[in-house]
Amino acid sequence: MQRACSRFANAPGSKRGGFLKQDLYEHFRAKVTTITTDSAADEVLASELMRSTVTGIEKITPNLRFVLRDKAHASRRVTSRPWQCDDFLKETLTRMAGGKGSVARLVQHSPEIKRIFVEYCKETASVATTVTNFRAAQHRFESYSKPLGRSCLHLHACVKTCLYLMRARNDQAATHAKAWLLWLSDEHAIQAAMLADAADCSMQLTRSMDVEDLDPASISAELIVYRQQIRALFVDGECFNRFGYTKTMLDMLSEPCVYQVGRATCCIGSATGVPQQTQMSCLKRMQAWVALAEATLAAEFPCWELMQAFGCFDLRGRLPNTEECLSRIARSCSLDEKLLIAQFQDVHPRAQMEFKETSRKAGDNQAAWAAIIAKLSSRKRARDAHPVDVLRQALVHYLVFGGSTSGVEQGFSKAAWAVHSRRHQAKASTEDLAVKVTLDNRCYDERALLPLARKCWSVCYGAPRVHDVHRIDKGVTKLLQDEDGAHGKSEAAFIRKRRKAAASAGANQSLDSEVNTQELDIVWTEKHDAEKLFLRKKMKCRRVQAFAEKSLLDDEITPELLADREACAQKLEKNEADRVTKKLRTQAKMGCCSSDALAFLGSGCVYMAVTAMAAPALADLQLAIARHGLRVTTAPKDAVAIVCDRPGRLADKRLRLLSALLGWYEMSPTCFTGDGNGAALKLKCACDLQRVLIVSHRCATPHVLLSALGCFGPMSARTPRKLLFGSDFSGLDSAWIALQRLKVPAQLQFCSDIDPDCKNLLLTLHKPARFHDNVATRSPDDEAACDCYVFTPPCQSFSVQGKRRGLKDPRAAAMKGSFQYIKRKHPRVVLFENVKGITHKAFRPVLNGMRAALKKLGYVVWMKVLDSSNFRVAQVRRRLFVVGILRTSYRRRFKWPAGQGKKRLACVLDPLSPTDKAGRLPKGARPAKLARIAYQELTQGKFLLP
């Protein structure tokens, strides 16, 4: 803003410095009432801070009241997010248009494949136009309308092209072509055609709002038309009857197309047509999308938004809730509601007549309102009979509201064209001037550019189409091609006809009821519910914003809304305070000037260590320190800075140690006296590091400065007299049994297991002080601290014998409770044990996440796979062990135990007796019973024949 209000700023070739025109700048600030941004978090936050008072400084734009969202981007989210909720729709979109191996991308990015495709298009196309470009490149709104539509219209050409690639090539393109041919089916083809119809409707909505001079009054009407069309097509099933991509695809699939892919014979289409069940399955998915699309429209274009209220100024047709819209406008703009309604009812019929007259002269809605207000205000008699003072203020807000940032987006494109890669090393002022000249050039305007182009053409090549006789069709508008005629099979004619059919289908569509999602249980998934929840949260935030802009009516303000507004304000204040604190800390770490150091010190205490200074000068220094709001202290531990002769070169070694430990500011006296320019050195606080300083009482007693730190206590033994032990997912708690066998003095603080048999065993055999049934649901207040913590979560989620669902398995997800315990209690030693399968590639992110989490919590981590057969156990049992030692307790290098040798199974079993014979069982009834049960299991499991 200051740059725009500056004169001679960075003027090329001028030595005169620029200056700010303060009056213009203040006028600019005062006149800003509305700002339009994208929905990006940084842009929304910056806009809120521009009109917020929580920053503690003067607002940049004191009269800014309305923060608007770009409607073109908002309309794009109607398809971009809901389509991702259905896996089938997402897969269809990826395979047909958006994915790397899609048929549209294959043709788009290869000139050779494009040439082959064009040849097949001439034989099998549904339209006469030969397609040479699928428009499959990603751009601003990620439109899939063109690639989807062209893939559907030229489906047979796509199939033939992929078959040619399989036969003629042996590269990645052939692989993608084969995969696409095997994937293609009747259901995918019908679903792609429905997506093409939906994408074309959505693109109409987006393009209607992707203009810089977007009329706010037309938004509500455009939304109603869009909803009517998608409801008629996909809720009522008119897409099967009306002309469009779906109807064309059904006609195309009425004849079978058979092709061979390797050894597989594939066929799309049938002489009997696509089965009704397949059509209904595709339609159900689109009905679920319609439900999400309408929920997205309600969140992106809320009815309580002021811009929606401007729909009452639409002269093409009146909305049923005109008085409600006027009440909302009066409340938001601080106008008299009764006068506004009365003046609107008086002027509106005249504005409609003016609109009908000006429409013949290429007039628009806003021009008609401006013209009728000018007519009624031009004469005193008309002003007295038809007052428009309140209505004029409402219309001013209506005219200045901009719902699109298309001009800014287009400016970015023009600037990128002008400031190319060769100018990246230019000065900022040079780049600023280049961008300004580029954007101010009127030749980018089509109305100014085309006449210039005609003149240049006539000068260089002469006047085109020079005839001796007068043409009878000169000046007559050329009629469009007839969509139903023989020459009307172009793609443009197809789209026009499709849009007319969609408009006629939705003309009389009712929007009173919502889409019934209970009938969509087959296609409605958890992703749909998650998207609904996300949209409800967005509506909640937008409602709070509408409350701040005073666009809500009295009956729309609820106690829950007031609580949400208070929570939002507190969060904004907290975030701003955290941002300021972080900025000060960053400045303190990176270095700053003496004034910034004084501002950071605030009203703290200063310790004086100045030696070579006379008494009067010392008194003046103390007064200067007091003027800055600081106090001189004689207790070093209370100080935040030290004033010394040579910062960084303290003569007293004790002060040097204390300064390093406490992270002092070492400042010269000139920081406080004179003009404030002096040396200021900020030391990093060594006490913030997790280190241990051991000082005996005999050493600390004579050193007063060390005792003044207040952080030295009596020395304690390195190893506790009794080790406090705790475990989760205990099972039999073999770790506790091992401690008892090693005769380590320990106390079992707690253990946990969800299995009732393990619980009875643990309570009976080990008798812990506390027992937890479930790690994930236990309260932090019930947790006990320990020195050694062992957790061994269930291994089925990572074992090769299990389903290997990882953290998606609730049994493995309970491991998060263990890390919450480690975060709260910080045990000195942490031990994790699980199967070797957790080290496989699929679960490497889990293992890396565990390592990173433990390191972040202050642990030194080791990992290793140990085999029990190397420790004289007659069993091959490979397990991963993770050992974490708290950094403050880490004294010496950790070493894994060395192997103790192998042990055969024969060493464990009883020695062979001469009386042993085959089939003979030990004495007693139990061995015979066990053998009988084992035999029955073998025969029932069909391992042996009975």
Side-chain angles (χ1 to χ4, degrees), residues 302-339:
C303 59
W304 60 78
E305 192 179 36
L306 182 58
M307 186 171 291
Q308 305 301 316
F310 287 137
C312 63
F313 294 124
D314 189 7
L315 299 175
R316 301 171 185 87
R318 296 189 59 180
L319 298 177
N321 55 350
T322 302
E323 293 189 0
E324 179 182 334
C325 294
L326 292 173
S327 300
R328 201 179 301 278
I329 294 173
R331 186 183 182 92
S332 301
C333 303
S334 303
L335 303 176
D336 191 313
E337 180 179 345
K338 294 182 179 180
L339 287 178

Side-chain angles (χ1 to χ4, degrees), residues 300-550:
E300 299 290 350
F301 303 87
C303 59
W304 60 78
E305 192 179 36
L306 182 58
M307 186 171 291
Q308 305 301 316
F310 287 137
C312 63
F313 294 124
D314 189 7
L315 299 175
R316 301 171 185 87
R318 296 189 59 180
L319 298 177
N321 55 350
T322 302
E323 293 189 0
E324 179 182 334
C325 294
L326 292 173
S327 300
R328 201 179 301 278
I329 294 173
R331 186 183 182 92
S332 301
C333 303
S334 303
L335 303 176
D336 191 313
E337 180 179 345
K338 294 182 179 180
L339 287 178
L340 177 60
I341 295 176
Q343 294 180 10
F344 177 84
Q345 293 176 349
D346 179 37
V347 178
H348 185 264
R350 294 171 172 80
Q352 285 184 321
M353 293 296 295
E354 183 68 24
F355 177 75
K356 292 179 181 179
E357 294 179 1
T358 56
S359 61
R360 303 190 189 100
K361 303 176 183 178
D364 58 0
N365 194 74
Q366 296 179 345
W369 278 106
I372 194 62
I373 293 296
K375 287 182 180 180
L376 295 177
S377 303
S378 59
R379 292 175 294 177
K380 184 178 184 302
R381 194 172 195 178
R383 288 196 301 268
D384 295 339
H386 307 284
V388 292
D389 52 340
V390 179
L391 181 60
R392 180 195 296 273
Q393 298 181 41
L395 287 172
V396 167
H397 285 86
Y398 158 61
L399 294 174
V400 300
F401 259 55
S404 176
T405 59
S406 299
V408 179
E409 300 282 351
Q410 295 166 7
F412 288 156
S413 302
K414 293 178 182 178
W417 174 82
V419 185
H420 45 78
S421 59
R422 296 184 179 181
R423 290 190 173 184
H424 285 176
Q425 303 299 326
K427 295 182 179 180
S429 58
T430 305
E431 182 177 340
D432 187 11
L433 286 172
V435 171
K436 187 177 188 319
V437 171
T438 303
L439 298 183
D440 290 345
N441 187 2
R442 293 184 58 190
C443 291
Y444 285 100
D445 187 5
E446 181 180 352
R447 290 169 295 183
L449 183 62
L450 291 180
L452 292 176
R454 293 192 188 99
K455 292 181 180 179
C456 293
W457 180 277
S458 60
V459 170
C460 297
Y461 305 105
R465 297 185 180 181
V466 179
H467 299 278
D468 298 334
V469 296
H470 180 71
R471 290 181 55 181
I472 60 174
D473 61 342
K474 184 177 181 180
V476 179
T477 304
K478 185 177 179 181
L479 297 177
L480 297 176
Q481 292 179 346
D482 184 12
E483 285 84 355
D484 298 324
H487 301 287
K489 290 189 176 181
S490 65
E491 184 183 13
F494 178 92
I495 294 176
R496 286 196 300 270
K497 186 176 180 180
R498 194 216 74 82
R499 292 178 178 179
K500 288 181 180 180
S504 62
N508 300 321
Q509 183 69 26
S510 176
L511 302 176
D512 297 335
S513 61
E514 296 183 355
V515 179
N516 188 8
T517 58
Q518 295 180 355
E519 300 177 357
L520 306 175
D521 294 338
I522 301 177
V523 296
W524 196 270
T525 62
E526 294 181 356
K527 293 183 179 180
H528 291 80
D529 292 329
E531 182 67 16
K532 277 262 190 180
L533 179 61
F534 170 77
L535 294 174
R536 282 196 292 269
K537 291 181 179 179
K538 178 178 284 190
M539 288 189 67
K540 185 177 178 181
C541 297
R542 299 295 294 273
R543 193 184 291 271
V544 172
Q545 179 183 343
F547 177 76
E549 295 175 354
K550 299 180 181 180

Side-chain angles (χ1 to χ4, degrees), residues 106-361:
L106 285 175
V107 178
Q108 175 73 23
H109 300 304
S110 173
E112 177 62 20
I113 299 177
K114 188 180 298 185
R115 182 188 62 80
I116 299 168
F117 174 77
V118 169
E119 294 296 328
Y120 287 127
C121 272
K122 296 177 181 178
E123 304 173 1
T124 59
S126 299
V127 294
T129 306
T130 301
V131 177
T132 59
N133 191 337
F134 263 79
R135 303 281 180 90
Q138 300 288 335
H139 56 85
R140 183 183 174 196
F141 293 111
E142 299 177 3
S143 168
Y144 294 112
S145 176
K146 286 292 184 183
L148 271 174
R150 291 180 174 179
S151 299
C152 294
L153 292 178
H154 304 280
L155 181 65
H156 289 165
C158 293
V159 171
K160 290 186 177 181
T161 303
C162 291
L163 290 172
Y164 174 84
L165 293 177
M166 285 180 52
R167 295 191 303 266
R169 303 179 66 162
N170 189 19
D171 55 0
Q172 192 175 13
T175 304
H176 290 321
K178 181 179 180 180
W180 185 81
L181 289 172
L182 292 174
W183 166 84
L184 186 62
S185 64
D186 292 353
E187 187 172 3
H188 287 111
I190 293 296
Q191 197 71 74
M194 289 184 177
L195 289 177
D197 281 325
D200 190 55
C201 293
S202 300
M203 186 50 54
Q204 283 184 272
L205 177 66
T206 300
R207 292 309 178 195
S208 66
M209 299 184 182
D210 186 23
V211 289
E212 181 67 15
D213 53 348
L214 174 64
D215 187 2
S218 64
I219 294 179
S220 298
E222 294 289 349
L223 295 178
I224 291 175
V225 171
Y226 175 74
R227 291 181 59 195
Q228 287 176 337
Q229 288 186 9
I230 61 175
R231 279 207 179 195
L233 292 176
F234 305 116
V235 178
D236 296 343
E238 289 294 323
C239 61
F240 297 128
N241 305 321
R242 304 281 181 165
F243 182 82
Y245 292 104
T246 307
K247 184 69 168 58
T248 304
M249 182 61 70
L250 288 174
D251 297 340
M252 194 181 304
L253 296 179
S254 61
E255 298 180 1
C257 175
V258 184
Y259 53 89
Q260 192 79 15
V261 182
R263 296 183 178 180
T265 302
C266 302
C267 176
I268 57 171
S270 173
T272 58
V274 179
Q276 190 71 17
Q277 183 179 359
T278 302
Q279 297 182 28
M280 290 299 105
S281 299
C282 297
L283 192 63
K284 290 288 185 183
R285 298 189 189 96
M286 297 306 295
Q287 289 173 359
W289 167 74
V290 170
L292 284 183
E294 292 192 342
T296 305
L297 290 175
E300 299 290 350
F301 303 87
C303 59
W304 60 78
E305 192 179 36
L306 182 58
M307 186 171 291
Q308 305 301 316
F310 287 137
C312 63
F313 294 124
D314 189 7
L315 299 175
R316 301 171 185 87
R318 296 189 59 180
L319 298 177
N321 55 350
T322 302
E323 293 189 0
E324 179 182 334
C325 294
L326 292 173
S327 300
R328 201 179 301 278
I329 294 173
R331 186 183 182 92
S332 301
C333 303
S334 303
L335 303 176
D336 191 313
E337 180 179 345
K338 294 182 179 180
L339 287 178
L340 177 60
I341 295 176
Q343 294 180 10
F344 177 84
Q345 293 176 349
D346 179 37
V347 178
H348 185 264
R350 294 171 172 80
Q352 285 184 321
M353 293 296 295
E354 183 68 24
F355 177 75
K356 292 179 181 179
E357 294 179 1
T358 56
S359 61
R360 303 190 189 100
K361 303 176 183 178

